[in-house]
Amino acid sequence: MVWIMDDQSPHPRRRRTDSATPHTPKHAEQISGDSGGVPEKPHAERTQTIAIALGSGGARGLSHILVLEALDELGIKPVAIAGASIGALIGAVYASGVPAKDIHALAAGLLRNRGEIMRRLLAARIGRISDLFGGLGNPVMLDAERFVGSFMPDLVPEDFEQLEIPLQVVATDYWERREKMFDHGPIRPAVAASLAIPGLIRPVAHHGHTLVDGGAVNPLPFDLLRTKADIVLAVDITGGHSGKSNERGVPGPFEAMFATLQIMASSIVGEKLKSGAPDILIRPNVDAFRVLDFFRATAILKAAEPVKDEVKRRLEAVLG
């Protein structure tokens, strides 16, 4: 799914501390995102490692930033990150060493500037308005790699090997009908492929493979992290919409397509959870927002804010 960031000014990288010893993970816990305030604790030496999975979901994925802020405020550095679609993009920036509060500021700042967003989107567009009348294609179709090149900050390194936190990015191999995972080599083509939502962003051709949105096969890739850390924390944003029944009607073509993709993603996550859940499952309160509601960034971030305190409380309970 799509997410956009500003890359106009560099931000310092920050390293956090953590230590690791083997431990059996606790049973899964689901976080609702609506608990009371939790006092922050000073940095302390920790004996368990944490990995985080950031799921697909378009604009709802802005809520991932609040979860990462909670980790930063607790002084926790994940030992591994896995992401699909919007989760891959946010994960790549965070894994580069950018503090979550800076990602928050970058996203909120740019998403208030509609003119700049439209300028970058037009630069990434491959279709023409005349295509609509000539039956040649979608006039608003975006080139995935050009899109990522326009919006991903320059401080994200070229290759996975240069990241501060190991990252796994999920895409879908269109012709082989299976998951394609990236954890080495160039970062930007991998993230571009993971973001290539059908109908909006053109599939990515990469090393003989045709790749599309990672959410089509693994919208919440916590399974990739089972052997990477003692505790796996996953952020699921595939839930349904909360519109009132008397407000529901026939959706427009784009809304129907994107909402259907979300329904499919939610079904995949549900089946995965039956066979084995992550140690901590987080579901921010963002069901009311649509896939392309990026211009509602302020409202999304406000709605997701309560999840920070809940994440802190649950992690402190697990880590001691």
Side-chain angles (χ1 to χ4, degrees), residues 60 238-244 248-249 251 255 259-260 262-263 286-290:
R60 295 175 177 184
T238 63
H241 44 78
S242 59
K244 298 178 181 179
R248 297 177 183 177
E255 173 63 18
T260 299
Q262 282 296 96
I263 293 169
V286 291
D287 288 358
F289 301 96
R290 297 174 297 180

Side-chain angles (χ1 to χ4, degrees), residues 238 265-275 283:
T238 63
S266 183
S267 296
I268 293 171
V269 171
E271 290 302 312
K272 288 183 62 180
L273 293 175
K274 291 178 183 178
S275 61
R283 282 176 167 151

